[in-house]
Amino acid sequence: MKIAIAGSGAMGSRCGYMLHQAGNQVTLIDLWPEHVTTINTQGLSVETAGKQRFVKIPAAFPEDVHDDFDLILLFTKAMQLNDMLNKISHLLTDNTAVLCLSNGIGNLETIKKFNSHLDLLVGTTLWTSELVGPGAVVLKGSGYIEFQAIENVSHETVIKINDVLNEAGLDARPSNNVLLSIWKKACLNSVLNTFCTILDCKIMDLRKSQYTPILTKRVVSEFEAVAQAKGIPLTAELASKTINASLAPNQAGDHYPSMHQDIASGRHTEIDYLNGAIARMGKELNIPTPTNTLITELIHAREDTVIKN
Amino acid sequence: MKIAIAGSGAMGSRCGYMLHQAGNQVTLIDLWPEHVTTINTQGLSVETAGKQRFVKIPAAFPEDVHDDFDLILLFTKAMQLNDMLNKISHLLTDNTAVLCLSNGIGNLETIKKFNSHLDLLVGTTLWTSELVGPGAVVLKGSGYIEFQAIENVSHETVIKINDVLNEAGLDARPSNNVLLSIWKKACLNSVLNTFCTILDCKIMDLRKSQYTPILTKRVVSEFEAVAQAKGIPLTAELASKTINASLAPNQAGDHYPSMHQDIASGRHTEIDYLNGAIARMGKELNIPTPTNTLITELIHAREDTVIKN
């Protein structure tokens, strides 16, 4: 299959690499010049279990790609999604299926607003990856991709995409309820990412405070209220179960989550597509969301104090 | 006058020193063994404008003091006030006036609950001081003490205390509305201290974010609602004016406020007597205080992640 990865950061590079290894014709699209150049000159550096290899996969800026793809995987950060769609608009033909795997809430709305006639699928993934420098990723652990056709996609296409992902070892799982999974993951990140950022601690350190469950309950109950109004069957109980599982002694990570890393590196965070999405939707729906609103504002204020203009 | 300082930290030491220099018989009461021992062996080290001097003022643990004082100045942190009152209860005679200058909201309630028959005054001070080690303070800038008789204190006693403080250069100002000043200062600290702690920044850095005024408004409007219900004439406008003045370009401090220092040193903060007092009173009065409640919980969670048990 002819596949483009739109947004070839940590996760995009990982999936692009796995799809390439399985024999697909993959193009890595990205906006970071150093990243694109490095991949094209030395190959994509992929480290697995301490072993590094360089893999020749073509990388390019969106404007330099002129091809007909069967599938475009969207992997940009949520806040860069609209910009990326604009930049790859010439690639979005009638024969191209688009599968959005970007994290966060509101991506579907962004894409539909951009173009409501796309052959659209959305999904979520539990695969992880670390971008350690331009052109270099480190792969650890395993995961899966849960995805669902949203519009203009035949059952046959779903099967085809499913097969391609599975042949690449990505453990694809067609779903009838992918929005629930997306919201559940966003809710998890809206707790772990934001708390660790505000409290300047690792995920495992959240276990030290009796206030973690109290604060979690506040975030989660607002998620439930907004989700229910949106017809998404996320309950506070279900969300809490996921969060508690991530905070269990044998699970709770000895690392800082991505939002903490964003702030430490002076980058913008995905807050507007996590707690911020709940705050925004709550306002539209007249549902009070004081906790998610305040957390969103605090994270934005934190960005303002660390990001140099 | 025979004066005891109950809680001889940075501010208690400063006032004790100034009162001692003016000829009063001062005893510094404190619970920190190294501090008491150092003062008694080498004297209190006082640094002003780069010049250090050692001043012989007696220091003692509460249980070792057996004297009749005309005046006891309470300078403990709000969360240690009840403990200190218990430890100096043998000093609280019918002839002893007690002036509480501890920061925060709720100290009056703590004292009245402890003993409703004290000759009681409360106040607030804009003097500052830094405790740089056991037995050593650094004095900078100037300030004043605003105070008011609350119960069982004659006008004559107020005048006497006022004169003693002024003779020591402490710029005393009898007030008819000291609770307003205490709440105004607490509101200022509930914004600057907590924001700088959560955002891990200096006071001047708060000016960088467009979210500072938004977040400030949320804190301040809840302060107004609770204050009004308590009969204290603090308005959001008045509080904002004070806060904005502290954030003005020529004022905004190139330093971390005390709460940030508390967290950095792994100490408990005064949060329960700042935003936490508003959250507690709001709950009692059925006034919604989601912002101050959440900020209180976040600061407590922060304490839990840094304080070693």
Side-chain angles (χ1 to χ4, degrees):
Chain A
M1 200 179 260
K2 219 163 159 180
I3 302 170
I5 309 290
S8 303
M11 279 301 301
S13 289
R14 167 164 214 160
C15 290
Y17 160 71
M18 289 172 76
L19 287 161
H20 176 266
Q21 293 302 95
N24 296 286
Q25 197 179 326
V26 174
T27 302
L28 301 174
I29 298 175
D30 207 73
L31 304 177
W32 185 18
E34 225 176 324
H35 189 48
V36 169
T37 309
T38 306
I39 296 173
N40 283 329
T41 49
Q42 69 172 34
L44 177 69
S45 160
V46 179
E47 189 187 313
T48 322
K51 275 169 71 178
Q52 187 185 25
R53 56 156 85 185
F54 292 89
V55 188
K56 279 274 167 206
I57 310 177
F61 301 118
E63 61 269 27
D64 297 333
V65 180
H66 301 281
D67 237 330
D68 281 325
F69 294 99
D70 303 306
L71 177 64
I72 296 181
L73 294 183
L74 283 167
F75 263 120
T76 66
K77 293 246 180 197
M79 59 275 202
Q80 289 144 4
L81 183 55
N82 192 60
D83 180 46
M84 179 58 84
L85 287 168
N86 270 304
K87 288 186 166 135
I88 61 167
S89 59
H90 59 291
L91 303 176
L92 302 169
T93 70
D94 285 350
N95 305 316
T96 308
V98 174
L99 168 53
C100 177
L101 288 165
S102 298
N103 274 324
I105 293 172
N107 296 323
L108 198 53
E109 290 76 3
T110 302
I111 299 173
K112 282 187 179 176
K113 208 171 153 189
F114 173 79
N115 182 343
S116 58
H117 302 294
L118 294 177
D119 300 358
L120 183 61
L121 308 96
V122 298
T124 180
T125 172
L126 284 197
W127 288 98
T128 59
S129 175
E130 198 184 346
L131 189 70
V132 293
V137 286
V138 175
L139 314 187
K140 276 183 200 157
S142 66
Y144 62 83
I145 292 176
E146 186 182 338
F147 74 106
Q148 183 173 350
I150 299 295
E151 266 172 344
N152 314 319
V153 178
S154 66
H155 180 63
E156 194 194 347
T157 304
V158 171
I159 300 291
K160 225 187 282 178
I161 293 173
N162 188 55
D163 288 348
V164 165
L165 295 173
N166 276 325
E167 281 157 20
L170 283 161
D171 193 0
R173 304 177 184 181
S175 167
N176 291 317
N177 218 343
V178 79
L179 286 180
L180 173 60
S181 299
I182 290 173
W183 279 60
K184 208 165 65 177
K185 187 177 179 187
C187 189
L188 176 75
N189 287 334
S190 295
V191 169
L192 301 189
N193 268 284
T194 56
F195 290 6
C196 288
T197 303
I198 291 173
L199 306 179
D200 188 22
C201 70
K202 295 176 177 179
I203 292 170
M204 61 188 285
D205 295 329
L206 293 177
R207 301 184 62 243
K208 290 183 192 165
S209 179
Q210 57 173 319
Y211 287 92
T212 297
I214 297 170
L215 289 160
T216 299
K217 201 175 162 190
R218 293 194 192 285
V219 171
V220 159
S221 65
E222 293 176 11
F223 258 81
E224 176 182 271
V226 173
Q228 301 285 327
K230 288 272 179 187
I232 291 162
L234 180 72
T235 61
E237 199 190 336
L238 184 61
S240 302
K241 221 173 128 183
T242 313
I243 294 161
N244 290 339
S246 291
L247 287 174
N250 56 335
Q251 282 294 327
D254 185 17
H255 66 274
Y256 295 101
S258 61
M259 185 180 285
H260 189 285
Q261 294 173 30
D262 287 338
I263 290 294
S265 308
R267 288 192 298 261
H268 282 283
T269 71
E270 294 181 296
I271 190 70
D272 283 335
Y273 304 88
L274 298 172
N275 313 69
I278 298 305
R280 194 169 59 245
M281 291 173 177
K283 203 172 172 186
E284 284 160 15
L285 295 162
N286 243 328
I287 296 171
T289 58
T291 299
N292 285 288
T293 300
L294 193 78
I295 289 176
T296 303
E297 291 168 355
L298 287 171
I299 295 293
H300 277 314
R302 191 96 171 75
E303 290 173 339
D304 290 342
T305 61
V306 297
I307 292 170
K308 285 164 193 72
N309 292 312
Chain B
M1 199 180 260
K2 218 163 163 179
I3 302 170
I5 309 290
S8 302
M11 279 301 302
S13 290
R14 167 164 214 160
C15 290
Y17 160 72
M18 290 172 77
L19 288 161
H20 174 265
Q21 294 301 95
N24 297 286
Q25 196 177 327
V26 174
T27 302
L28 300 175
I29 298 175
D30 206 72
L31 304 178
W32 184 16
E34 224 177 324
H35 189 49
V36 169
T37 308
T38 306
I39 297 173
N40 283 329
T41 49
Q42 68 172 34
L44 177 69
S45 160
V46 179
E47 189 186 313
T48 321
K51 274 170 70 179
Q52 186 185 27
R53 56 155 85 184
F54 292 89
V55 189
K56 279 276 165 202
I57 310 177
F61 301 117
E63 61 269 27
D64 296 333
V65 181
H66 301 280
D67 237 330
D68 282 323
F69 293 99
D70 302 306
L71 176 64
I72 296 180
L73 293 184
L74 282 167
F75 264 119
T76 66
K77 293 246 178 195
M79 59 275 203
Q80 290 144 2
L81 183 55
N82 193 59
D83 180 48
M84 179 58 85
L85 286 168
N86 270 305
K87 288 186 166 136
I88 61 167
S89 61
H90 60 288
L91 304 176
L92 302 169
T93 70
D94 286 349
N95 305 318
T96 308
V98 174
L99 169 53
C100 177
L101 289 164
S102 299
N103 274 324
I105 293 173
N107 295 323
L108 198 53
E109 289 76 4
T110 301
I111 299 171
K112 281 186 178 174
K113 206 171 152 190
F114 173 79
N115 182 342
S116 58
H117 302 292
L118 294 177
D119 300 357
L120 183 62
L121 308 96
V122 297
T124 180
T125 173
L126 284 199
W127 288 98
T128 59
S129 175
E130 196 184 347
L131 190 70
V132 292
V137 286
V138 174
L139 313 188
K140 277 182 200 159
S142 66
Y144 61 83
I145 292 176
E146 185 181 339
F147 74 106
Q148 183 173 349
I150 300 295
E151 268 171 345
N152 314 318
V153 178
S154 66
H155 181 64
E156 195 194 348
T157 303
V158 171
I159 300 290
K160 225 188 279 178
I161 293 173
N162 188 54
D163 288 348
V164 164
L165 295 174
N166 277 324
E167 282 158 19
L170 282 161
D171 193 1
R173 304 176 184 182
S175 167
N176 291 319
N177 218 343
V178 79
L179 286 181
L180 172 61
S181 299
I182 289 172
W183 278 60
K184 206 166 63 178
K185 187 178 180 186
C187 188
L188 175 75
N189 288 333
S190 295
V191 169
L192 301 189
N193 268 283
T194 56
F195 290 5
C196 288
T197 303
I198 291 173
L199 306 179
D200 189 22
C201 71
K202 295 176 177 179
I203 292 171
M204 60 188 287
D205 295 327
L206 293 177
R207 300 183 61 243
K208 291 182 192 166
S209 180
Q210 56 173 321
Y211 287 91
T212 298
I214 297 170
L215 289 160
T216 299
K217 200 176 164 192
R218 294 195 192 283
V219 171
V220 159
S221 65
E222 293 176 11
F223 258 83
E224 175 181 273
V226 173
Q228 301 284 326
K230 287 270 177 188
I232 291 161
L234 180 72
T235 62
E237 199 191 335
L238 184 62
S240 301
K241 220 173 128 183
T242 313
I243 293 162
N244 290 340
S246 291
L247 287 175
N250 58 336
Q251 282 293 326
D254 185 16
H255 66 274
Y256 295 101
S258 61
M259 186 181 284
H260 189 284
Q261 294 172 31
D262 287 339
I263 290 294
S265 309
R267 288 192 298 261
H268 281 283
T269 72
E270 293 181 296
I271 190 69
D272 282 336
Y273 304 88
L274 297 171
N275 313 67
I278 297 305
R280 195 169 58 244
M281 290 173 178
K283 202 171 173 187
E284 285 161 13
L285 295 161
N286 244 328
I287 296 171
T289 58
T291 299
N292 285 288
T293 300
L294 193 78
I295 288 177
T296 302
E297 291 168 354
L298 287 171
I299 296 291
H300 277 314
R302 191 95 172 77
E303 291 174 339
D304 290 341
T305 61
V306 297
I307 292 170
K308 286 166 191 68
N309 292 313

